[in-house]
Amino acid sequence: MSLRRMVAVDPKLCEGHALCLDTAPEVFDVGDDDVASCTRQPGPDMWPAVRAAIDACPRGAISVCEEELERTQP
């Protein structure tokens, strides 16, 4: 079984502090509505910055979920 980690931002919790953008600008962006979003899923080398962004978010709006990848039969 293989898992894929994905990052999500809850727009109802986000207050636009932009600490995620400061910490991981290659993964997050803040729109004109002052709500952050995940603009791309992080590669393996980006996860330390994503974890720092999660820790920095004062509202806990950023989460990581794991999705099971289907195995293809040979």
Side-chain angles (χ1 to χ4, degrees), residues 1 4 6 10 20 26 31 37 42 51 55 63 67 70 72:
M1 176 173 71
R4 173 176 55 176
M6 301 186 63
D10 184 335
C20 57
E26 60 279 340
S37 63
R51 285 188 197 98
D55 291 342
S63 62
E67 177 179 89
E70 292 184 26
T72 57

Side-chain angles (χ1 to χ4, degrees), residues 3-53:
L3 296 175
R4 173 176 55 176
R5 291 183 291 177
M6 301 186 63
V7 179
V9 178
D10 184 335
K12 293 178 184 174
L13 290 177
C14 179
E15 294 180 339
H17 295 278
L19 298 176
C20 57
L21 182 59
D22 292 341
T23 308
E26 60 279 340
V27 177
F28 299 99
D29 193 18
V30 176
D32 294 337
D33 57 356
D34 289 330
V35 174
S37 63
C38 180
T39 58
R40 69 183 269 200
Q41 292 302 315
D45 59 326
M46 296 178 194
W47 280 101
V50 170
R51 285 188 197 98

